[in-house]
Amino acid sequence: VTGVQTCALPICYLILNGLERFFIEKIRVNNKFNFLGMEATQAEIIAVLFMLGGLTLLYFSLRRKRADS
């Protein structure tokens, strides 16, 4: 068992949790921060980082799987 199979659950968790958290935070009323020229809440920034982390893991897992083949 290698590549994507070993990381599938954490990858899905990070991507889906990030999406869910991002959209929930659009409903909530929180303080907004100016982050890289955008106004976002702290939770939205964390959600984007979760999604980027999951996508990064997915990329490297797929890349490793191709290298092993």
Side-chain angles (χ1 to χ4, degrees):
V1 180
T2 61
V4 177
Q5 292 175 349
T6 58
C7 296
L9 191 59
I11 289 170
C12 287
Y13 172 79
L14 286 172
I15 293 171
L16 295 176
N17 184 304
L19 278 171
E20 176 264 340
R21 185 174 181 147
F22 184 81
F23 288 117
I24 291 294
E25 291 305 319
K26 289 295 184 189
I27 297 169
R28 295 179 63 196
V29 177
N30 289 329
N31 295 332
K32 299 221 178 223
F33 299 99
N34 190 357
F35 180 72
L36 299 176
M38 301 177 296
E39 282 194 8
T41 64
Q42 181 180 9
E44 288 172 346
I45 295 167
I46 292 169
V48 169
L49 293 175
F50 270 27
M51 289 185 284
L52 289 175
L55 292 172
T56 302
L57 282 174
L58 179 63
Y59 171 76
F60 284 112
S61 296
L62 290 173
R63 199 169 130 184
R64 174 190 267 175
K65 185 177 180 183
R66 281 193 215 128
D68 290 343
S69 298

